[in-house]
Amino acid sequence: MDDKIKLLETFENHFPERDFTILHTCHEFTSLCPKTGHPDFAVIDFEYIPELLCVELKSLKIYLQSFRNDGIFYEHITNKILNDLVAATQPRYFKIQAKFGVRGGISSIITVEHFKEGYRK
Amino acid sequence: MDDKIKLLETFENHFPERDFTILHTCHEFTSLCPKTGHPDFAVIDFEYIPELLCVELKSLKIYLQSFRNDGIFYEHITNKILNDLVAATQPRYFKIQAKFGVRGGISSIITVEHFKEGYRK
Amino acid sequence: MDDKIKLLETFENHFPERDFTILHTCHEFTSLCPKTGHPDFAVIDFEYIPELLCVELKSLKIYLQSFRNDGIFYEHITNKILNDLVAATQPRYFKIQAKFGVRGGISSIITVEHFKEGYRK
Amino acid sequence: MDDKIKLLETFENHFPERDFTILHTCHEFTSLCPKTGHPDFAVIDFEYIPELLCVELKSLKIYLQSFRNDGIFYEHITNKILNDLVAATQPRYFKIQAKFGVRGGISSIITVEHFKEGYRK
Amino acid sequence: MDDKIKLLETFENHFPERDFTILHTCHEFTSLCPKTGHPDFAVIDFEYIPELLCVELKSLKIYLQSFRNDGIFYEHITNKILNDLVAATQPRYFKIQAKFGVRGGISSIITVEHFKEGYRK
Amino acid sequence: MDDKIKLLETFENHFPERDFTILHTCHEFTSLCPKTGHPDFAVIDFEYIPELLCVELKSLKIYLQSFRNDGIFYEHITNKILNDLVAATQPRYFKIQAKFGVRGGISSIITVEHFKEGYRK
Amino acid sequence: MDDKIKLLETFENHFPERDFTILHTCHEFTSLCPKTGHPDFAVIDFEYIPELLCVELKSLKIYLQSFRNDGIFYEHITNKILNDLVAATQPRYFKIQAKFGVRGGISSIITVEHFKEGYRK
Amino acid sequence: MDDKIKLLETFENHFPERDFTILHTCHEFTSLCPKTGHPDFAVIDFEYIPELLCVELKSLKIYLQSFRNDGIFYEHITNKILNDLVAATQPRYFKIQAKFGVRGGISSIITVEHFKEGYRK
Amino acid sequence: MDDKIKLLETFENHFPERDFTILHTCHEFTSLCPKTGHPDFAVIDFEYIPELLCVELKSLKIYLQSFRNDGIFYEHITNKILNDLVAATQPRYFKIQAKFGVRGGISSIITVEHFKEGYRK
Amino acid sequence: MDDKIKLLETFENHFPERDFTILHTCHEFTSLCPKTGHPDFAVIDFEYIPELLCVELKSLKIYLQSFRNDGIFYEHITNKILNDLVAATQPRYFKIQAKFGVRGGISSIITVEHFKEGYRK
């Protein structure tokens, strides 16, 4: 699972002198439950302020598809994706919110944030 | 009723260095009225910031199902569930909000919070 | 399970000379899955045209609560409830529609009708 | 309860040569449950095509208020109100639909119609 | 009250060869209750298919304002307005629907239609 | 009217060490107008932070039903109910908001709060 | 117009030791335009904190009805009503917001407040 | 275009001792595009706190109608109207917000404010 | 892919003497595009009238999950699922409607029906 | 692409002494994906406070249309448009928010702001 980060491609931010906000929403994330092996489904928001690099959208799609057959807890998916995107893009700010569908009558939302050291929104 | 807490399983939080928020919503809680024995129904939100442990979702479902045939007041259910989840996961923050259906023309919402000593959101 | 019908009480319809329609909606039905033992939840509509008898509402509530700890398929619950209500009230027409919550990403609606012999709406 | 009909006042329909429709909606009906003595609440629609007489609105309000402390089944209230209004106004058509609030997790709608002999909408 | 019709002005319909529909909605009708003298308020729809004449809008406003201080039943207002408009414009079809506000917890809608002899929509 | 408070039952709050919030909403309150004797209807919210006692829900229902045939102003009902609930439960905080239906074209909302001496939310 | 205030009746506030809020909404206000004589229509909110007196609701209705045939500007109606209600009830706080319907394609909202000397919300 | 201001009439504010707010909304403003000659349409809000004068509503309507055949940029209309209304009424505060319809796939909202010297809301 | 049908389990319909309708909705179907290998997502309705057998819900979930890593056209998935369910349950009637998400700005709905020979709804 | 800015025309702001806000919304922006060559679609908001110049709306439309056949990342489009509009109009403040449609199951919103040196909203 550590190699997934290689799937993420970036492109140069031509406007690093400026703080601006990018919000991508993936409507079709799916992975597997590590306890039962059954599929999980989520809608995931990616909100960030880039520094020198932006994540390329098609590579983000392929990166997210790579979880399709992995068994992993909601909480760990969300944090791992945040860590990978932070490592790949070195942003000023990054927030991920993953909204998972109903399992056993229970739905779940996981919210994780990262701030570059010394940076405050 | 004191043994219910044994039903709660946890898994290690791999990202304790970071404050992040988990929101589980159980859409199908049911217990019994301690006065009349008739069933009560609620939607319950569980919002928390973990420290070293997360509650495992399937065990949470089974824990909540264990109240199915217990007679207990709304106010005590909500506080007991909070206490059990705090004991099991030792979180930084935990809030439970239970929304009960109409009984005798009256609906009810109970809201309870816990903060780890010294922790402030 | 065959004795449940004894829980149903009726009262005399004082207006049998007239076709009229009664719609009761139970928002809080619960039973158990016969495969897994886990709870199921449904909203059930009861629409009927009485002849000489109406079902008494409190007894209907207690009758429905009697399924709380029974393991039974959706399709059989719905048909059994129809059969019991037809046997108890001998109506001109009876329709039951049971809307079950999400299980494994799948929700279900079962619809069953009964017409008294020779009766047409 | 048979004297309630005396509370209903009528006024002459100045336009009997024409079929037209009157819909009154009472948002605040209340009576008592004949089993438990607890209050019931309903919204009631009165839709009719008059012949020679219309029901006067203030008398209808007082007539409906007269059920405030009566214990009576939903099905019988609705039919009795229809019968009283038909007797008082001798209409071409009259429909009553009473929508009762939740009791024991169950809500109810009763619908009753009357056609003057030989009249079809 | 019989002179009100003189307030209605008409203009020639230049397109009588075609059936077309005109809908005027008066949002601010007010008259008085003939029993209590208190004001009543309604929203009134006027939908018609003209033949040789259309009702002039400003005269319709003044005609409707002329009821401001008249005590008259809902049912009679609605029929009288229909009769006056039919007399003034001789239309192929005319429908009036008057929606009166809440009085004593009861709201009312009166609906009246006129068809020219031999005309069917 | 002073004896109504005896209808209110309480049960011991097992969790007094913690501030938590209880919100009950009565959807079906009715009393009488002290001027006209006609019925009034309201939806009433009860929001409080208990100390040693909680109000028992069924007794609250019966307490509220006891106003059914009392003539009393909106403003005084709301304040009296607050005073009775404060006397019965000695809470840290209590707020009552009563939303009354339309009378004479006018609807009303009355909002009253109580804080235990020295307590601030 | 100065005598209208005599129409306002008050009753004693039994709970003057407590600040509480009363909101009445009149859905059916009408007066006349001082320029054209045509009727104006408004929805008016009355929000206040009483001291020793509350305005009686039926008298408020009759007071508001007394403007029915007066020609007066929106801005002056709203201020005059505030002044009359302040004179009649001597409140701690009073706010009036009048929302007038469309005239010549223009709708209007007038908002006026009064604070008792030395009182702050 | 400079003479338009003469169309604005005012009336004396009888309540200058009090800050209060007037909001007029014109739903039907139209002018012409200075580049293409095609019509533009807008909804315009006028919110102000008067001092000694209020703008008379019918004159405001006629003033706004005078732009019907003028070719003028959105930004200039909005500012000119503000300047004219400030000159005519000498208010404590005036805000104009003009919401223009879609042109070439683009819609526009212009917002302008004026404060009397030394006055702060 | 031909072996998938073995995943479908059935149970005996205890009420074959009656036509009744079962509607299952799978909110989380996913498969792969046969051209690009990228994932597809659909919501699928299963509506049927059983004869002697009903499809067991958990086996239906597992059957649907078996398409997770198959490359197959929308049209073929929908028809194959219909064929498999018809073969497994021999129903009187079966309809499948699959609603696929947006791909390249295009969404798709495929609808397929089966009638038992000689059976008409 | 650097020549696009020549397409932007401006007109003189006649009211530079005043801060006011202009919001244009382009509902129909389209460009091409730089990776796949497929079309992208967006709704773009332009919110600014002008100094001496306003952007002329028809030239803005033509400027935006010039991107129709350009392959360019979302993030760069949004920043480039901001830079061009800032260069053309030298505003006090300018914000651009571009909302792009779904691609590969992912939708995107880019938000960029510019403040004139020393200017704060």
Side-chain angles (χ1 to χ4, degrees):
Chain A
M1 197 173 288
D2 289 346
D3 281 351
K4 282 181 197 306
I5 192 173
K6 294 179 186 165
L7 297 171
L8 288 170
E9 294 175 21
T10 59
F11 61 88
E12 188 189 351
N13 175 13
H14 292 179
F15 304 90
E17 68 282 7
R18 173 187 289 152
D19 273 14
F20 67 97
T21 302
I22 300 166
L23 169 60
H24 297 307
T25 300
C26 174
H27 301 269
E28 299 173 339
F29 181 84
T30 181
S31 59
L32 299 179
C33 173
K35 299 276 287 191
T36 64
H38 287 303
D40 291 324
F41 290 81
V43 173
I44 307 183
D45 287 332
F46 306 81
E47 180 186 334
Y48 72 108
I49 299 173
E51 189 145 277
L52 299 179
L53 296 170
C54 296
V55 63
E56 197 275 325
L57 206 55
K58 194 164 183 177
S59 80
L60 177 60
K61 180 179 78 172
I62 289 164
Y63 167 80
L64 293 171
Q65 290 176 1
S66 77
F67 289 88
R68 188 171 180 83
N69 294 317
D70 294 346
I72 176 169
F73 286 116
Y74 296 172
E75 292 83 350
H76 291 167
I77 295 170
T78 317
N79 276 286
K80 176 178 169 39
I81 291 175
L82 181 67
N83 281 1
D84 285 355
L85 282 161
V86 165
T89 66
Q90 300 290 326
R92 291 178 188 151
Y93 170 73
F94 216 115
K95 179 169 77 171
I96 299 201
Q97 186 171 63
K99 290 161 269 188
F100 289 87
V102 174
R103 283 295 166 270
I106 300 176
S107 58
S108 301
I109 300 176
I110 315 296
T111 308
V112 193
E113 280 184 315
H114 166 87
F115 289 88
K116 184 184 161 186
E117 202 180 322
Y119 184 82
R120 275 292 159 267
K121 282 183 86 175
Chain B
M1 198 173 287
D2 290 346
D3 281 351
K4 283 181 196 305
I5 192 174
K6 294 179 185 163
L7 297 171
L8 288 170
E9 295 175 21
T10 59
F11 60 88
E12 188 189 351
N13 175 13
H14 292 180
F15 304 89
E17 68 282 7
R18 174 185 288 151
D19 272 14
F20 67 96
T21 302
I22 300 165
L23 170 60
H24 297 307
T25 300
C26 174
H27 301 269
E28 300 173 341
F29 181 85
T30 182
S31 58
L32 300 179
C33 173
K35 299 276 287 192
T36 65
H38 286 301
D40 291 324
F41 290 82
V43 172
I44 307 183
D45 286 332
F46 306 80
E47 180 186 334
Y48 72 108
I49 299 172
E51 190 144 279
L52 300 179
L53 297 170
C54 296
V55 63
E56 196 277 324
L57 206 54
K58 193 165 184 178
S59 79
L60 177 60
K61 179 181 78 171
I62 289 165
Y63 167 80
L64 293 171
Q65 290 177 0
S66 76
F67 289 88
R68 188 171 180 84
N69 294 318
D70 293 347
I72 176 169
F73 286 116
Y74 297 171
E75 292 84 350
H76 292 167
I77 294 170
T78 316
N79 276 285
K80 176 180 168 39
I81 291 175
L82 181 67
N83 281 1
D84 285 355
L85 282 161
V86 165
T89 65
Q90 300 289 327
R92 291 177 187 150
Y93 170 73
F94 215 115
K95 180 168 76 171
I96 298 199
Q97 186 171 64
K99 290 161 269 188
F100 288 88
V102 174
R103 284 295 165 271
I106 301 176
S107 58
S108 300
I109 300 175
I110 315 295
T111 309
V112 193
E113 280 183 315
H114 166 87
F115 289 87
K116 184 183 161 187
E117 201 179 322
Y119 184 82
R120 276 291 159 267
K121 281 184 87 174
Chain C
M1 200 173 287
D2 288 347
D3 280 351
K4 282 182 197 305
I5 192 174
K6 294 180 186 163
L7 296 171
L8 288 171
E9 295 175 21
T10 60
F11 61 90
E12 188 189 351
N13 175 13
H14 291 180
F15 304 90
E17 68 282 7
R18 174 185 288 150
D19 273 15
F20 67 95
T21 303
I22 300 164
L23 170 60
H24 297 307
T25 300
C26 173
H27 302 268
E28 298 173 343
F29 181 84
T30 181
S31 58
L32 300 179
C33 173
K35 299 278 286 192
T36 64
H38 287 302
D40 289 325
F41 291 81
V43 173
I44 306 183
D45 286 332
F46 305 81
E47 180 187 333
Y48 74 108
I49 299 173
E51 190 145 278
L52 299 179
L53 296 170
C54 296
V55 64
E56 196 276 324
L57 206 54
K58 193 165 183 176
S59 78
L60 177 60
K61 179 182 78 173
I62 288 165
Y63 167 80
L64 293 171
Q65 288 176 3
S66 77
F67 290 88
R68 187 172 181 83
N69 294 319
D70 292 348
I72 177 168
F73 286 116
Y74 296 172
E75 292 83 352
H76 291 168
I77 295 170
T78 316
N79 277 285
K80 176 177 170 39
I81 291 175
L82 181 68
N83 282 2
D84 285 354
L85 282 160
V86 166
T89 66
Q90 299 290 326
R92 293 178 186 149
Y93 170 74
F94 215 116
K95 179 169 78 173
I96 298 201
Q97 186 170 64
K99 291 160 268 188
F100 288 88
V102 174
R103 283 295 164 272
I106 301 176
S107 59
S108 300
I109 301 176
I110 315 295
T111 308
V112 193
E113 280 183 315
H114 166 88
F115 288 88
K116 184 185 163 185
E117 201 180 322
Y119 184 83
R120 275 291 159 268
K121 281 185 86 172
Chain D
M1 201 174 285
D2 289 347
D3 281 351
K4 282 182 196 308
I5 191 174
K6 294 179 187 163
L7 297 171
L8 288 170
E9 295 175 20
T10 60
F11 61 89
E12 189 190 351
N13 176 11
H14 292 179
F15 304 89
E17 67 282 6
R18 174 186 288 149
D19 273 13
F20 67 96
T21 303
I22 300 164
L23 170 60
H24 297 306
T25 300
C26 173
H27 302 269
E28 298 173 342
F29 181 84
T30 181
S31 58
L32 299 179
C33 173
K35 300 278 285 191
T36 64
H38 287 302
D40 290 325
F41 291 81
V43 173
I44 307 183
D45 286 333
F46 305 81
E47 179 186 334
Y48 73 107
I49 299 172
E51 191 145 276
L52 300 179
L53 296 170
C54 296
V55 64
E56 195 277 325
L57 206 54
K58 193 165 183 178
S59 79
L60 177 60
K61 179 183 77 173
I62 288 165
Y63 167 80
L64 293 172
Q65 289 176 2
S66 76
F67 290 89
R68 187 172 180 84
N69 294 317
D70 293 347
I72 177 170
F73 287 116
Y74 296 172
E75 292 84 351
H76 291 167
I77 296 170
T78 316
N79 276 284
K80 175 178 169 39
I81 291 175
L82 182 68
N83 282 1
D84 285 354
L85 282 161
V86 165
T89 66
Q90 300 289 327
R92 293 178 186 149
Y93 170 74
F94 215 115
K95 179 169 78 172
I96 298 200
Q97 186 171 64
K99 290 159 270 187
F100 288 87
V102 174
R103 282 297 163 272
I106 300 176
S107 59
S108 300
I109 300 175
I110 316 294
T111 308
V112 193
E113 281 184 314
H114 166 87
F115 289 88
K116 185 186 163 185
E117 201 180 323
Y119 184 83
R120 276 291 158 267
K121 282 184 86 172
Chain E
M1 200 173 285
D2 289 346
D3 281 350
K4 283 183 196 305
I5 191 172
K6 294 178 186 165
L7 297 171
L8 288 170
E9 296 174 22
T10 59
F11 60 89
E12 188 189 351
N13 175 13
H14 290 180
F15 305 91
E17 68 281 7
R18 174 186 289 149
D19 273 15
F20 66 96
T21 302
I22 300 165
L23 170 60
H24 298 307
T25 300
C26 173
H27 301 269
E28 298 173 341
F29 181 85
T30 181
S31 58
L32 299 179
C33 174
K35 300 277 287 190
T36 64
H38 286 302
D40 290 325
F41 291 81
V43 173
I44 306 183
D45 287 332
F46 305 82
E47 179 186 334
Y48 73 107
I49 299 173
E51 190 146 277
L52 299 179
L53 296 170
C54 296
V55 65
E56 195 277 325
L57 206 53
K58 192 164 184 178
S59 79
L60 177 60
K61 179 181 77 172
I62 289 165
Y63 168 79
L64 293 171
Q65 289 177 4
S66 77
F67 290 89
R68 186 172 182 84
N69 294 317
D70 293 347
I72 177 169
F73 287 116
Y74 297 171
E75 292 84 350
H76 292 168
I77 296 170
T78 316
N79 276 285
K80 177 179 168 40
I81 291 175
L82 181 68
N83 281 1
D84 286 354
L85 283 161
V86 165
T89 65
Q90 300 290 327
R92 293 179 186 148
Y93 171 73
F94 215 114
K95 180 169 77 172
I96 298 201
Q97 187 171 64
K99 290 161 270 187
F100 288 87
V102 174
R103 283 294 165 272
I106 301 177
S107 59
S108 300
I109 300 175
I110 316 295
T111 309
V112 193
E113 281 183 315
H114 166 87
F115 290 88
K116 185 185 162 186
E117 201 179 324
Y119 184 82
R120 275 293 158 265
K121 282 184 85 173
Chain F
M1 198 173 287
D2 290 346
D3 280 352
K4 284 183 197 305
I5 192 174
K6 293 179 186 164
L7 297 171
L8 288 170
E9 294 175 22
T10 59
F11 61 88
E12 188 189 352
N13 176 12
H14 291 179
F15 304 89
E17 68 281 6
R18 174 186 288 152
D19 272 14
F20 67 96
T21 302
I22 300 165
L23 170 61
H24 297 307
T25 300
C26 173
H27 302 270
E28 300 173 341
F29 181 85
T30 181
S31 58
L32 301 179
C33 173
K35 300 277 286 191
T36 64
H38 286 302
D40 290 324
F41 291 82
V43 173
I44 307 183
D45 287 331
F46 306 80
E47 179 186 335
Y48 72 108
I49 299 173
E51 190 145 279
L52 299 179
L53 297 170
C54 295
V55 64
E56 196 277 324
L57 206 54
K58 194 166 183 177
S59 79
L60 178 60
K61 178 182 77 172
I62 289 165
Y63 167 80
L64 293 171
Q65 290 177 1
S66 76
F67 289 89
R68 187 171 180 83
N69 294 317
D70 293 346
I72 176 169
F73 287 116
Y74 296 172
E75 293 82 351
H76 291 168
I77 295 170
T78 316
N79 276 285
K80 176 179 168 40
I81 291 175
L82 181 67
N83 282 0
D84 285 355
L85 282 160
V86 165
T89 65
Q90 300 289 328
R92 292 178 186 149
Y93 171 74
F94 216 115
K95 180 169 77 173
I96 298 200
Q97 187 171 64
K99 291 160 268 188
F100 288 88
V102 174
R103 282 296 164 271
I106 300 176
S107 58
S108 300
I109 301 175
I110 316 295
T111 309
V112 194
E113 280 183 315
H114 165 88
F115 289 87
K116 184 184 161 186
E117 201 180 323
Y119 184 83
R120 277 292 161 266
K121 282 183 87 173
Chain G
M1 199 173 286
D2 290 346
D3 280 350
K4 283 183 196 305
I5 192 173
K6 294 180 186 163
L7 297 171
L8 288 171
E9 295 175 22
T10 59
F11 61 89
E12 187 189 352
N13 175 12
H14 291 179
F15 304 90
E17 68 281 7
R18 173 187 289 151
D19 272 16
F20 67 96
T21 302
I22 300 165
L23 170 60
H24 297 307
T25 300
C26 173
H27 302 270
E28 299 173 340
F29 181 85
T30 181
S31 58
L32 300 179
C33 173
K35 301 277 286 192
T36 64
H38 288 302
D40 290 324
F41 290 82
V43 173
I44 307 183
D45 287 331
F46 306 80
E47 180 186 334
Y48 72 109
I49 299 172
E51 190 146 278
L52 298 179
L53 296 170
C54 296
V55 64
E56 196 276 326
L57 206 54
K58 194 165 184 177
S59 79
L60 177 60
K61 179 181 76 171
I62 288 165
Y63 167 80
L64 293 171
Q65 289 177 1
S66 75
F67 289 88
R68 187 171 181 84
N69 295 317
D70 293 347
I72 177 169
F73 286 117
Y74 297 172
E75 293 82 351
H76 291 168
I77 295 170
T78 316
N79 277 285
K80 176 178 168 39
I81 291 175
L82 181 67
N83 282 0
D84 285 355
L85 281 161
V86 165
T89 65
Q90 301 290 326
R92 292 179 186 148
Y93 170 74
F94 216 115
K95 179 169 77 173
I96 298 201
Q97 186 171 64
K99 291 161 268 188
F100 288 88
V102 175
R103 282 297 162 272
I106 300 177
S107 59
S108 301
I109 300 175
I110 315 296
T111 309
V112 193
E113 280 184 315
H114 166 88
F115 289 87
K116 185 184 161 185
E117 202 180 322
Y119 184 83
R120 276 290 160 268
K121 282 185 86 173
Chain H
M1 199 173 288
D2 289 345
D3 280 350
K4 284 183 196 303
I5 192 173
K6 294 179 187 164
L7 297 170
L8 288 170
E9 294 174 23
T10 60
F11 61 90
E12 186 190 352
N13 175 12
H14 291 180
F15 304 90
E17 67 283 7
R18 174 186 288 151
D19 272 16
F20 67 96
T21 302
I22 300 165
L23 169 61
H24 297 307
T25 301
C26 174
H27 302 268
E28 299 172 341
F29 181 85
T30 181
S31 59
L32 300 180
C33 172
K35 300 279 285 192
T36 65
H38 289 303
D40 291 325
F41 290 83
V43 173
I44 308 183
D45 287 332
F46 305 80
E47 180 186 335
Y48 72 108
I49 298 173
E51 191 146 275
L52 298 179
L53 297 170
C54 296
V55 64
E56 197 276 326
L57 207 53
K58 193 165 185 177
S59 78
L60 177 60
K61 179 181 76 171
I62 289 166
Y63 167 80
L64 294 171
Q65 290 176 358
S66 76
F67 289 89
R68 186 170 183 84
N69 294 316
D70 293 347
I72 176 169
F73 287 117
Y74 296 172
E75 293 83 350
H76 291 167
I77 295 170
T78 315
N79 277 284
K80 174 176 170 41
I81 292 175
L82 181 67
N83 282 1
D84 285 355
L85 282 160
V86 165
T89 66
Q90 300 290 328
R92 291 177 186 150
Y93 170 74
F94 216 115
K95 178 168 78 172
I96 298 200
Q97 186 171 64
K99 290 160 270 188
F100 289 87
V102 175
R103 283 297 165 269
I106 301 176
S107 59
S108 301
I109 300 175
I110 316 295
T111 308
V112 194
E113 281 183 314
H114 165 87
F115 289 87
K116 184 184 160 185
E117 201 180 324
Y119 183 81
R120 276 291 159 268
K121 282 184 87 173
Chain I
M1 199 174 289
D2 288 346
D3 281 350
K4 283 184 196 304
I5 193 173
K6 294 179 186 162
L7 296 171
L8 288 170
E9 296 175 20
T10 60
F11 61 89
E12 188 189 352
N13 175 12
H14 292 180
F15 304 90
E17 68 282 6
R18 175 185 287 149
D19 272 16
F20 67 96
T21 303
I22 299 164
L23 169 60
H24 297 306
T25 300
C26 173
H27 302 268
E28 298 173 342
F29 181 84
T30 181
S31 58
L32 301 180
C33 173
K35 300 278 286 191
T36 64
H38 287 302
D40 290 325
F41 291 82
V43 173
I44 307 183
D45 286 333
F46 304 81
E47 180 187 333
Y48 73 108
I49 299 173
E51 190 144 277
L52 299 179
L53 296 170
C54 295
V55 64
E56 196 276 325
L57 205 55
K58 193 165 184 179
S59 80
L60 177 60
K61 179 181 77 172
I62 289 166
Y63 167 80
L64 293 170
Q65 289 176 2
S66 77
F67 290 88
R68 186 171 181 83
N69 294 317
D70 293 347
I72 176 169
F73 285 115
Y74 296 171
E75 294 82 353
H76 292 169
I77 295 170
T78 316
N79 277 284
K80 176 178 170 39
I81 291 175
L82 181 68
N83 282 359
D84 285 354
L85 282 160
V86 165
T89 66
Q90 301 290 326
R92 293 178 186 150
Y93 170 73
F94 215 115
K95 179 169 78 173
I96 297 200
Q97 187 170 63
K99 291 160 269 187
F100 288 87
V102 175
R103 283 294 166 273
I106 301 176
S107 61
S108 301
I109 300 177
I110 316 295
T111 308
V112 193
E113 277 185 317
H114 165 89
F115 289 87
K116 184 185 163 187
E117 201 179 324
Y119 184 82
R120 275 293 159 268
K121 281 186 85 174
Chain J
M1 198 173 288
D2 289 346
D3 281 350
K4 283 181 197 305
I5 193 173
K6 294 179 186 164
L7 298 171
L8 288 170
E9 294 174 22
T10 60
F11 61 89
E12 188 189 352
N13 175 12
H14 292 179
F15 305 90
E17 68 283 6
R18 173 187 288 151
D19 272 14
F20 66 97
T21 303
I22 300 165
L23 169 61
H24 297 307
T25 300
C26 174
H27 301 269
E28 299 172 341
F29 181 85
T30 181
S31 58
L32 300 179
C33 172
K35 300 278 286 192
T36 65
H38 288 304
D40 291 325
F41 291 82
V43 173
I44 308 183
D45 288 332
F46 306 80
E47 180 185 332
Y48 72 109
I49 299 173
E51 190 145 276
L52 299 179
L53 296 171
C54 295
V55 64
E56 196 276 325
L57 207 54
K58 193 166 185 177
S59 79
L60 177 60
K61 180 180 75 173
I62 289 165
Y63 167 80
L64 293 171
Q65 290 176 358
S66 76
F67 289 89
R68 187 172 182 82
N69 294 316
D70 293 347
I72 177 169
F73 287 116
Y74 296 172
E75 292 83 349
H76 290 167
I77 295 170
T78 316
N79 276 285
K80 174 176 170 42
I81 291 175
L82 180 68
N83 281 1
D84 285 355
L85 282 160
V86 166
T89 66
Q90 301 290 327
R92 292 179 186 148
Y93 170 74
F94 216 116
K95 179 169 77 172
I96 298 200
Q97 186 171 63
K99 290 160 269 187
F100 289 87
V102 175
R103 283 295 164 271
I106 300 176
S107 59
S108 301
I109 301 175
I110 316 294
T111 309
V112 194
E113 280 183 316
H114 166 88
F115 289 87
K116 183 184 162 186
E117 201 179 324
Y119 184 82
R120 276 291 159 269
K121 282 182 87 174

